[in-house]
Every structure is written in C-alpha cells, then in structure tokens.
Amino acid sequence: MTQVILPFYLASRAIRRGNKGTLIMTILIIAMSFVLMVFMPSLLSGLITVYNQNVEDYLYGDLVIEPSGDDKYITNTEELLRKVERVPGMTAVSSHMILSTSIVSDKKSQSVPVIAITPSDERLVTTTSRIIREGRYLSDGDTDRIFVGAAVAGHDDEVKDQIPSLGGIHAGDSVMVTFQNGEIRKMIVSGIFESGFLAADQQVFITRKEMESVLGKNDRSSSILVRTVEGIDPSGVKNRLLEFGVRGKVWLMSEKASAVTGDVIKSFSLITAIMTIFSLIIASIVIFVIVYINTIHQRRQIGILKAVGIPELNIIRSYLLQVVFVFVAGIVVGLVLFWGICEIFLAFPLRFPPGLVHLIPDMTQLYSSIIVLGIVAIISGYIPAKRAAKEEILVLVNN
C-alpha cells in the first residue's frame, strides 16, 4: 500500500512546493498544443460539411443520373422520370437540360450555360427557390422569363464581382438571349437568387416550356436530379435504381462533390499533419525541459530520498505523476479553450467559397489527439526522471 501512496505523496508535495508560474505556463503550453492539434481537423470537417450541404441543396439533390458512355443526352426523359418515381425511397425528381447561350444586358454580354427545368419539380429537389434575393421564382408556364444567379447577374460595382458578369442586372430587367440554334429571344429577369456558394450562384434557369418554344418539342435531358426520403441511405436507393433498369450513370451526391473537394481535403490534411507534428514536438520539448530542470534542481533531494530507502521506481513514478497532473490539467484547459473557440466560430463563422463555415469537432480526432499527446508527455517526462534516479547517491548529494 505504501508503494502506491508514496509516489502520490511525493508528487503532490513537489507540485505544492514548485514554481507556480512554471506550472501554469506548462499547463497552458499543453493546452495550446492540444488546441492546435484539433483545430484544423475541425475546420476541415466544417468546410466539407458546408460544401456537401450546398452541393446537395443547390446542385444535385441526393442522387444525379447522367448519360452513359459517349451519349451527350438522356433520351426518353419522361419515361425515365416515371420509372424513377416508382423506385422505393424517392421523394422527387427533376430533369435538367443544359443549353449553350449568349446573354446580353444593357451593360455587358456573357456566354452562359442555361438550365431548362420544370420549376414545380425543381423546387422539390433543390432549395434554389428559397434563396431569392429579389423578384420571384419561375412558374411551369412561364415563357420569356429567366431566373439568374447572383454571380452571373453581377453587382453595379463590378469590382465586387467574383466572375465575369452581366454588369449588375436586376429583377424586371430585359436581356437578349441567343440560343444554340441561333434564335434570339428578349427575356425578362424574373428574379435573382443568391446562396453565397459560387458554383450555385453561376446557374441560370429557364422553363422547359420556354426551351421547347425555342428548340421545338424534345424529350432529352443533360441530367436528372433525385431527392430521396429523409433518413434513407441514398446508396441503397442508387442500387435500387440500377436494379430497376435505369440507364445511365447514377452518382451519389458525395461522389460528385468529392471530385471537387478531393484536392482541398489533401491540402488541408497536409497542413493538419504538419501542425500536429509541430504541436507534438513543442509539447514534448517543453515537458522534457521542465522535468529535466526540476530534476536538476532537486538532485540533492533525490539523493536524500534514495539514501533514506525510497525505491528508485517510486521516485520515477512521482515524476511521472507530476507529468500526468500537468497533462490532465492542460487537456482540461485545452478542451475549455477549444469549445470556447467553437462557440465563437458558431456565432461568427468564417466565410469560405462554399459558404459560412464553423468548426465541427471530430470526436475520433479529439480522442486520438489526447491519447497521442498523453503518450508523448509521459515519454518526455520519463526519460529525464529515470536518468536522475539512476545516478549514484553520492553524485546526487554532492551536486
């Protein structure tokens, strides 16, 4: 029993009598090292979450069907839509037909791809109809109406534009649209929508009815967007679509999104790895130096402890317990700091190209950071403690 209690007694006595400023500084360094280790993974998680949510809400829904092989379009769109709607787990489907156009405003002209949709279907699959900045959404029967993303519409002050725009058009303005077959139509801007997600705000919509009045009746689509029942795994619905004989490539939203986020994730992961390594190095050096300095200052005391019969192992354990105390205190302070930072980011999120981003803690990363930092701390404390405890009593007492 004494062998268990004694190291605790020696450790607590050393902590009480030690330099409080050094102790607090060491705890803060451990805390900041921990925060650095978990900050970037949490920011990356938040960035990916926002990006995926935007891709789902404004671009693809849960699933997207595209032409297979070398086909440029999906043919027999109406038949395919009816087939998809019969698949269990479906909520809504919407067809997209992408048209090459040139749009001329009274200020500028731009070559812009225009998406022909059935608005009543589209509003059930994407949420673009809910982010109208001015004007109104399209109706199924609209002709000579165009629904424009904020990035394409632009600002009155073109310095604010992220991409080449139409110079700051507004709802109610007239634009001249030249379609891919050469036909020119004067169209009214029904509304301007803005999500803050550049890929979404570059989109421009007209109705399929308008498309058919320009190009003639056709049953083709560039893609079909699918919204599944909330709570159902989209991958299961994807498999059922294939089982139902749906022709074409069926993509999960996450698969489409990963094509863009892949490089971003790699870059952030590299930064995260570098910051983690530096944090561990800093923490290990600080703990090693603190314990080493303590052992040098307490060499005579260690010699006396050995002289009165305190086992060498208990002396080492006492130093390790001091390290554990500093580590635990540092982690507690680090968690408080990190959750405080999370709350600040929640109230004041960072603006990234995908949208407003706040920290989303990855619990796996959180736990692994604590474990790794703990192992590093114990090793860094063990080495100088063992070296001091191994020295001869006379050498310790006479120094």
Side-chain angles (χ1 to χ4, degrees):
M1 190 67 177
T2 304
Q3 298 297 318
V4 176
I5 296 175
L6 186 58
F8 282 94
Y9 171 74
L10 294 175
S12 63
R13 186 169 178 272
I15 292 170
R16 289 196 306 272
R17 293 191 173 188
N19 188 300
K20 298 298 185 293
T22 302
L23 177 65
I24 292 171
M25 186 61 66
T26 307
I27 290 173
L28 288 176
I29 290 173
I30 297 292
M32 294 307 299
S33 298
F34 172 74
V35 170
L36 284 174
M37 290 175 68
V38 297
F39 178 83
M40 284 303 294
S42 300
L43 182 61
L44 177 60
S45 179
L47 184 62
I48 293 172
T49 299
V50 169
Y51 181 86
N52 286 341
Q53 190 63 56
N54 286 338
V55 168
E56 178 183 333
D57 288 344
Y58 306 125
L59 299 182
Y60 297 121
D62 295 310
L63 298 165
V64 58
I65 303 171
E66 294 180 341
S68 59
D70 297 327
D71 294 339
K72 193 173 182 179
Y73 301 106
I74 297 171
T75 56
N76 301 319
T77 296
E78 288 301 321
E79 179 185 341
L80 181 57
L81 288 175
R82 302 293 82 78
K83 180 183 288 187
V84 171
E85 286 174 345
R86 292 195 297 270
V87 174
M90 312 303 299
T91 296
V93 292
S94 176
S95 63
H96 280 197
M97 181 64 180
I98 300 176
L99 308 173
S100 298
T101 69
S102 176
I103 303 178
V104 181
S105 69
D106 60 355
K107 299 177 182 178
K108 288 186 175 183
S109 65
Q110 296 293 339
S111 295
V112 180
V114 170
I115 305 172
I117 59 171
T118 302
S120 59
D121 291 339
E122 184 72 14
R123 67 168 64 244
L124 297 176
V125 177
T126 66
T127 60
T128 306
S129 61
R130 306 174 197 169
I131 53 173
I132 298 173
R133 189 176 73 188
E134 55 181 278
R136 67 170 180 84
Y137 193 52
L138 296 169
S139 299
D140 290 359
D142 278 345
T143 56
D144 301 328
R145 291 289 186 274
I146 189 167
F147 189 54
V148 184
V152 176
H155 298 82
D156 295 324
D157 180 3
E158 62 180 75
V159 174
K160 298 179 181 179
D161 292 342
Q162 295 179 275
I163 61 172
S165 72
L166 295 173
I169 60 173
H170 299 276
D173 289 351
S174 298
V175 294
M176 302 301 295
V177 182
T178 303
F179 289 88
Q180 57 197 38
N181 64 347
E183 184 161 347
I184 302 174
R185 291 286 178 92
K186 181 179 180 180
M187 305 188 74
I188 305 298
V189 178
S190 69
I192 307 292
F193 64 92
E194 183 173 20
S195 66
F197 181 40
L198 183 59
D201 292 342
Q202 294 182 74
Q203 297 180 111
V204 178
F205 297 96
I206 62 173
T207 63
R208 286 193 72 95
K209 184 174 182 179
E210 174 67 19
M211 178 193 73
E212 290 172 358
S213 74
V214 173
L215 303 179
K217 181 72 175 178
N218 72 74
D219 197 21
R220 298 185 302 176
S221 296
S222 302
S223 62
I224 292 176
L225 277 53
V226 178
R227 177 68 69 175
T228 61
V229 175
E230 188 174 352
I232 289 183
D233 184 6
S235 59
V237 179
K238 173 183 176 179
N239 293 333
R240 284 195 287 271
L241 283 171
L242 298 174
E243 291 169 1
F244 268 64
V246 171
R247 295 180 61 189
K249 297 177 182 177
V250 182
W251 301 89
L252 293 170
M253 176 280 298
S254 57
E255 293 172 336
K256 295 292 288 184
S258 64
V260 178
T261 58
D263 291 338
V264 175
I265 293 173
K266 288 179 182 177
S267 299
F268 270 86
S269 297
L270 178 60
I271 295 171
T272 299
I274 293 172
M275 289 185 67
T276 300
I277 291 171
F278 272 102
S279 299
L280 289 173
I281 292 173
I282 291 170
S284 61
I285 290 174
V286 168
I287 293 173
F288 181 91
V289 170
I290 295 298
V291 175
Y292 183 75
I293 291 173
N294 281 343
T295 55
I296 289 177
H297 288 170
Q298 297 175 15
R299 286 167 66 86
R300 182 180 295 276
Q301 181 181 341
I302 293 172
I304 293 172
L305 290 174
K306 292 183 70 174
V308 298
I310 302 296
E312 183 181 294
L313 186 59
N314 281 343
I315 297 173
I316 295 174
R317 284 173 179 172
S318 72
Y319 278 95
L320 289 181
L321 285 172
Q322 293 177 55
V323 172
V324 169
F325 171 80
V326 171
F327 167 72
V328 171
I331 291 299
V332 171
V333 174
L335 284 170
V336 171
L337 287 174
F338 179 65
W339 289 118
I341 293 171
C342 287
E343 290 300 317
I344 293 172
F345 272 71
L346 196 59
F348 306 99
L350 292 175
R351 180 171 290 280
F352 280 83
L356 297 175
V357 176
H358 61 272
L359 302 183
I360 298 181
D362 183 340
M363 300 312 295
T364 302
Q365 178 69 31
L366 208 65
Y367 296 141
S368 61
S369 296
I370 292 174
I371 293 170
V372 171
L373 192 57
I375 292 171
V376 169
I378 290 172
I379 292 174
S380 300
Y382 175 78
I383 294 173
K386 184 173 178 60
R387 287 181 59 185
K390 283 288 185 183
E391 291 189 30
E392 296 294 330
I393 296 174
L394 290 177
V395 174
L396 291 168
V397 171
N398 293 326
N399 280 276

